[in-house]
Amino acid sequence: MIIGLTGGIGSGKSEVSRRFQALGIEVVDADEASRELVKAGSPALTAIAAHFGDRLIKGDGSLDRAQLRTIIFNDPAAKTWLENLLHPLIRTHIIQQLNASNSPYTILASPLLLETSQYELVDRVLVVDTTEDLQLARASARDSNKREQISAIMKTQLPRSERCARADDIILNDGDLAGLDRQVAQLHTSYLAVAQQHD
Ligand code: ADP
């Protein structure tokens, strides 16, 4: 059984992932997969440099992510081109990792679970939800980004109500981290029960 974990920026996906991992559950991380695919010397990075120019490659051969983000933020066609290149590769990479998982159930953590065809890979959708004010406060403290930048990213993501409407399960992360522990432990128990029925 595969549980898709998603939520807006700063909602608490990483905190939730860590808690499932601590309970022995394998987490496949779509962000990590996308970083892995464009590592120095990879075919995808070569294709990106051929399209946007070598200025996107830093001195050590790695991708200048900040510059790429700026380009695609301001150019929808560039964003589409990049997504058409990366999404199928990320999907294949994710499927391989999901197949290799050995825990009773597996989490696929992805900020874009519901915005891409990745949701087709999961049996249930788990959304981490919090208020937009808390998203802004937590994400800007974590990334030392300006609130305006976080706010701009939030505008490109699904609205909170739409994301929650598509959830099978919701973790409400508007309290302390102990509250997160409790909610994850509860879900873990019910997922183990469902996973046993799956077998
Ligand atoms: P995401 O992965 O969804 O972007 P994170 O899990 O990184 O979000 O959480 C954003 C920031 O907020 C992190 O610094 C995290 O430690 C902090 N955080 C998340 N949930 C809570 C909470 N309930 N109480 C306090 N800090 C939290």
Side-chain angles (χ1 to χ4, degrees):
M1 179 170 74
I2 298 165
I3 309 292
L5 168 64
T6 193
I9 182 169
S11 59
K13 293 180 295 299
S14 307
E15 291 288 354
V16 169
S17 287
R18 271 198 287 281
R19 282 163 177 74
F20 278 108
Q21 278 170 326
L23 294 166
I25 298 306
E26 291 192 36
V27 175
V28 175
D29 185 323
D31 269 351
E32 259 171 44
S34 67
R35 278 193 294 273
E36 172 77 16
L37 281 166
V38 294
K39 68 182 179 202
S42 65
L45 184 55
T46 307
I48 289 168
H51 189 80
F52 293 112
D54 285 340
R55 68 203 161 96
L56 277 180
I57 310 288
K58 295 196 285 196
D60 61 0
S62 68
L63 174 63
D64 188 337
R65 300 183 150 272
Q67 214 188 130
L68 183 60
R69 250 195 314 271
T70 308
I71 293 175
I72 63 170
F73 212 82
N74 297 307
D75 180 353
K79 183 164 187 264
T80 304
W81 182 88
L82 190 69
E83 285 174 351
N84 287 342
L85 172 76
L86 291 180
H87 284 179
L89 296 174
I90 293 170
R91 188 183 160 95
T92 306
H93 194 82
I94 286 172
I95 291 171
Q96 282 168 353
Q97 289 189 306
L98 291 173
N99 286 339
S101 168
N102 281 315
S103 54
Y105 62 92
T106 305
I107 303 267
L108 168 58
S110 173
L112 296 177
L113 184 80
L114 301 174
E115 287 89 342
T116 64
S117 64
Q118 285 169 13
Y119 74 90
E120 294 165 2
L121 303 175
V122 307
D123 299 297
R124 291 181 77 85
V125 173
L126 168 58
V127 165
V128 192
D129 182 49
T130 192
T131 64
E132 292 185 354
D133 283 347
L134 277 174
Q135 270 182 274
L136 265 175
R138 289 173 180 165
S140 48
R142 179 194 59 191
D143 303 341
S144 60
N145 263 351
K146 291 214 179 68
R147 288 171 77 89
E148 297 78 57
Q149 270 171 301
I150 306 285
S151 196
I153 292 171
M154 283 168 61
K155 287 202 177 74
T156 70
Q157 301 183 327
L158 272 185
R160 200 181 158 193
S161 57
E162 207 172 309
R163 192 182 295 112
C164 286
R166 292 175 64 186
D168 296 296
D169 310 299
I170 296 178
I171 289 179
L172 188 56
N173 186 19
D174 62 357
D176 57 13
L177 289 168
L180 218 48
D181 289 341
R182 278 192 295 276
Q183 294 182 74
V184 170
Q186 245 170 33
L187 282 168
H188 178 62
T189 305
S190 72
Y191 289 158
L192 282 179
V194 182
Q196 260 162 8
Q197 286 168 4
H198 256 244
D199 288 339

